[in-house]
Amino acid sequence: MAPMSASELADLIEPHIPALRRYAFALTREPHAADDLVQDCLERALAHWGMRRQGGSLKAWLFTILHNCFISDRRRAARRGPHLELDEAPGLPVSAARQEEGLALRDVAAALRALPEDQQAVLLLVGVEELSYEEAAKVLAVPVGTVMSRLSRGRERLRQRLEGGRPGGLRRVK
């Protein structure tokens, strides 16, 4: 098989960048960190393009690389300790949403952040990025059944948090 030109590679990869950015932002919760994560993902994808399975899903492969970059970055940061930028004030992206919509989005984001990371990742990959269960399983390197159970538990916990209840757990019996 002949090597692809840069424009051919760009034509294949560019349509996936917005989805990668959304997932990266959901993981990092910082626009600059998300952009850096996507850039690292794309650099790694291009560097290892020849190792890609020809019949496999390009989207799932890119999401796997992004997820693995995120995990590697988290492990590296845990070894180094916290990093604080003194010249940048933390903040959320500003949107022109109406008050009620903004509050609803804030509540959903807070409820999603309160979920365990494994459930967050599955909800984002399947619910937001529309990956199949099989593709999400490949991205997260877990069995399909695990994806399905994490998705079910994550949806239930998210629903309970948004309805004002507490997620299922132990309850007191008299």
Side-chain angles (χ1 to χ4, degrees):
M1 179 177 224
M4 294 185 131
S5 70
S7 66
E8 290 173 322
L9 283 173
D11 289 343
L12 287 174
I13 293 175
E14 280 184 26
H16 300 290
I17 292 175
L20 291 169
R21 290 187 75 209
R22 282 191 305 270
Y23 185 53
F25 181 77
L27 291 172
T28 64
R29 298 181 191 95
E30 288 184 26
H32 297 297
D35 289 341
D36 290 345
L37 184 59
V38 170
Q39 181 175 345
D40 291 345
C41 166
L42 295 175
E43 286 176 6
R44 197 167 291 173
L46 292 173
H48 296 96
W49 187 259
M51 298 170 63
R52 187 176 77 84
R53 228 178 274 150
Q54 294 302 318
S57 167
L58 175 60
K59 184 175 184 179
W61 186 66
L62 291 171
F63 272 89
T64 301
I65 293 171
L66 183 100
H67 186 79
N68 290 341
C69 285
F70 173 72
I71 297 299
S72 296
D73 289 348
R74 297 239 3 219
R75 288 179 181 152
R76 190 177 310 114
R79 286 191 305 265
R80 287 187 199 155
H83 176 75
L84 300 174
E85 293 286 336
L86 297 177
D87 57 341
E88 294 182 13
L92 296 174
V94 179
S95 85
R98 296 188 316 231
Q99 289 294 337
E100 293 170 2
E101 291 171 352
L103 292 173
L105 287 174
R106 183 199 64 193
D107 292 346
V108 169
L112 188 61
R113 280 192 303 272
L115 295 177
E117 283 186 28
D118 58 346
Q119 292 174 7
Q120 278 183 39
V122 170
L123 278 169
L124 292 169
L125 289 172
V126 173
V128 178
E129 300 304 334
E130 299 177 348
L131 265 63
S132 69
Y133 291 173
E134 292 81 16
E135 290 172 328
K138 286 179 185 175
V139 168
L140 300 172
V142 297
V144 174
T146 302
V147 168
M148 292 167 45
S149 64
R150 286 179 183 176
L151 184 62
S152 175
R153 286 193 312 268
R155 284 177 175 163
E156 182 58 29
R157 280 187 171 185
L158 191 61
R159 184 179 305 109
Q160 288 175 349
R161 287 189 181 280
L162 292 174
E163 291 173 354
R166 290 180 22 193
L170 299 177
R171 57 180 191 166
R172 183 177 290 180
V173 179
K174 291 187 179 185

